[in-house]
Amino acid sequence: MGWYLKVLRDYATFSGRARRKEYWMFALINALIMIGLMAVDLVFGFYDAELGMGILSGIYVLAIIVPSIAVSVRRLHDVGRSGWWFLITFIPLIGQLVLLYWTVKDSQEGSNAYGANPKGFAEEL
């Protein structure tokens, strides 16, 4: 949960680097929260099949969009890519696969244009 809270604390920080662990722990906890909220939406009748989500999950998505993009940009920085590469997700299928590859790729060794390698220096949360 510490990694999730770290991303929320740095919700609008688009500079620097994010380790794989930070990115994927945030993604995991984010997915679990989303599943829980969708279940609550279903139970209370807030779920809209046409939209594919309910009121609570929709509010959560709006609240978490900036931190999600920010951690994705920092993850791209960690592998030596510009944050603008995040826009590749707008290319159907291929864009998502390329971004997935970059997010599972190991950190770039040493410092790069976006800062020092956080791997090994970050305290465990």
Side-chain angles (χ1 to χ4, degrees), residues 13 15 28 39 42 44 57 75 78 89-90 92 96 98 116 122-123:
T13 303
S15 61
L28 173 67
L42 278 169
F44 289 105
S57 53
R75 180 70 197 125
D78 194 43
T89 59
F90 291 114
Q96 288 87 5
V98 170
E123 70 278 354

Side-chain angles (χ1 to χ4, degrees), residues 18-116:
R19 296 174 54 188
R20 269 188 300 195
K21 188 172 188 176
E22 177 182 348
Y23 178 84
W24 286 109
M25 290 303 288
F26 173 76
L28 173 67
I29 294 170
N30 193 30
L32 293 174
I33 291 171
M34 191 64 182
I35 289 168
L37 288 174
M38 289 181 80
V40 171
D41 282 335
L42 278 169
V43 168
F44 289 105
F46 297 146
Y47 184 80
D48 184 0
E50 194 173 302
L51 289 176
M53 67 177 61
I55 294 171
L56 297 176
S57 53
I59 291 169
Y60 178 73
V61 167
L62 289 175
I64 208 74
I65 195 162
V66 173
S68 297
I69 294 171
V71 75
S72 297
V73 167
R74 291 194 311 269
R75 180 70 197 125
L76 286 168
H77 288 171
D78 194 43
V79 296
R81 301 276 176 199
S82 167
W84 289 105
W85 278 104
F86 180 75
L87 298 176
I88 201 169
T89 59
F90 291 114
I91 299 172
L93 188 60
I94 301 297
Q96 288 87 5
L97 290 175
V98 170
L99 188 66
L100 176 65
Y101 170 73
W102 285 333
T103 57
V104 299
K105 190 176 171 184
D106 197 10
S107 299
Q108 192 176 39
E109 292 294 324
S111 295
N112 66 16
Y114 305 103

